[in-house]
């Protein structure tokens, strides 16, 4: 299913969106995060990750929206139902991608 088609309410204890919603344009992300928040049960958890940086656009035939600590906090501030509980940066472990970094977010539905 596309995240834009998510219409459940209070169904999931957790949603794992690893390296997936990063393929949406920035202007669509707040609406998708609101849908995710609605689909989570109270105190439900979201894990999501984005490539680290400030790039947005097509790369290798796919759309990417990257974030930094500051820009991801602005995004999540626009969705008050989701509170970031943990945020950390990791390196890419795939061969030949040692330079790439990821921003990882755990957020809880209030």
């Amino acid at each position: 299913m596309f995240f834009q088609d998510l219409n459940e309410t209070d169904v999931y204890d957790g949603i794992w969106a690893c390296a997936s919603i990063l393929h949406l344009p920035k202007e669509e992300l707040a609406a998708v995060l609101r849908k995710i928040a609605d689909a989570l049960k109270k105190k439900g958890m979201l894990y999501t990750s984005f490539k680290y940086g400030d790039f947005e656009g097509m790369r290798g035939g796919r759309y990417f929206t990257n974030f930094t600590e500051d820009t991801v906090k602005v995004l999540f501030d626009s969705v008050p139902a989701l509170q970031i509980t943990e945020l950390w940066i990791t390196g890419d472990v795939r061969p030949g991608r040692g330079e790439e970094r990821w921003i990882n977010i755990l957020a809880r539905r209030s």
Side-chain angles (χ1 to χ4, degrees), residues 36-97:
I36 288 171
D38 288 345
L40 287 168
K41 294 177 183 176
K42 283 215 181 249
K43 301 195 185 236
M45 296 297 294
L46 164 68
Y47 168 81
T48 192
S49 59
F50 297 89
K51 286 185 179 274
Y52 190 88
D54 59 6
F55 177 82
E56 182 177 3
M58 294 296 290
R59 182 172 45 216
R62 295 185 296 167
Y63 197 88
F64 287 88
T65 301
N66 298 1
F67 282 92
T68 64
E69 295 93 336
D70 291 337
T71 57
V72 86
K73 287 176 184 173
V74 169
L75 171 63
F76 274 80
D77 283 348
S78 72
V79 184
L82 288 173
Q83 303 295 311
I84 293 175
T85 60
E86 216 174 315
L87 187 144
W88 67 101
I89 309 300
T90 55
D92 198 314
V93 298
R94 295 174 292 175
R97 302 216 181 185

Side-chain angles (χ1 to χ4, degrees), residues 1-3 5-17 32-47 81-82 107-110:
M1 140 187 344
F2 292 107
F3 281 103
D5 297 332
L6 183 63
N7 289 313
E8 280 81 23
T9 303
D10 297 321
V11 174
Y12 303 107
D13 294 313
I15 293 176
W16 181 266
V32 165
L33 287 175
R34 282 191 285 279
K35 285 180 168 279
I36 288 171
D38 288 345
L40 287 168
K41 294 177 183 176
K42 283 215 181 249
K43 301 195 185 236
M45 296 297 294
L46 164 68
Y47 168 81
L82 288 173
R108 181 182 310 276
R109 179 181 167 203
S110 54

